[in-house]
Amino acid sequence: MSTPTPLPGRVRFANSVRVRLGADTGFLFEQRSGRVYSLNATAALAAARIQTEQPPVEIVSAVVDAFEIDAGTARRDLARFIADLRAEGLTDLDG
């Protein structure tokens, strides 16, 4: 059995990021640069949970419940999404 993909203890959007969510999609707007990032349904769900500062392990559970996906895949995808957000300077991480 493989080791679970590590997730940060907490993640939150940087103060300069605004989140706009629709029924199945969403957008992140980074105010300093003016960049806009579009989100698919899975990323929009994750962004909504990040916005309310839910722990990543709870976000994984929400993704598993909402979509036909196993926990390992959801965890890997969320870790990648958080890493991408961090690389773009859109998040602050704890732990």
Side-chain angles (χ1 to χ4, degrees):
M1 185 172 198
S2 63
T3 304
T5 304
L7 292 170
R10 292 258 180 216
V11 60
R12 62 186 161 267
F13 288 110
N15 289 334
S16 61
V17 175
R18 296 296 172 258
V19 180
R20 298 291 178 256
L21 302 170
D24 293 322
T25 62
F27 296 92
L28 302 179
F29 176 66
E30 205 292 313
Q31 294 179 305
R32 292 176 303 200
S33 68
R35 292 188 72 179
V36 177
Y37 302 83
S38 62
L39 305 172
N40 65 19
T42 308
L45 184 144
R49 302 301 174 108
I50 290 170
Q51 189 175 26
T52 61
E53 297 189 21
Q54 278 193 330
V57 294
E58 291 180 18
I59 298 171
V60 168
S61 295
V63 169
V64 168
D65 290 345
F67 300 97
E68 292 182 19
I69 188 171
D70 65 88
T73 301
R75 187 178 184 94
R76 275 190 309 278
D77 289 353
L78 180 62
R80 187 176 313 118
F81 179 60
I82 292 170
D84 290 346
L85 293 173
R86 186 174 187 196
E88 292 292 327
L90 302 175
T91 60
D92 298 318
L93 305 178
D94 292 333

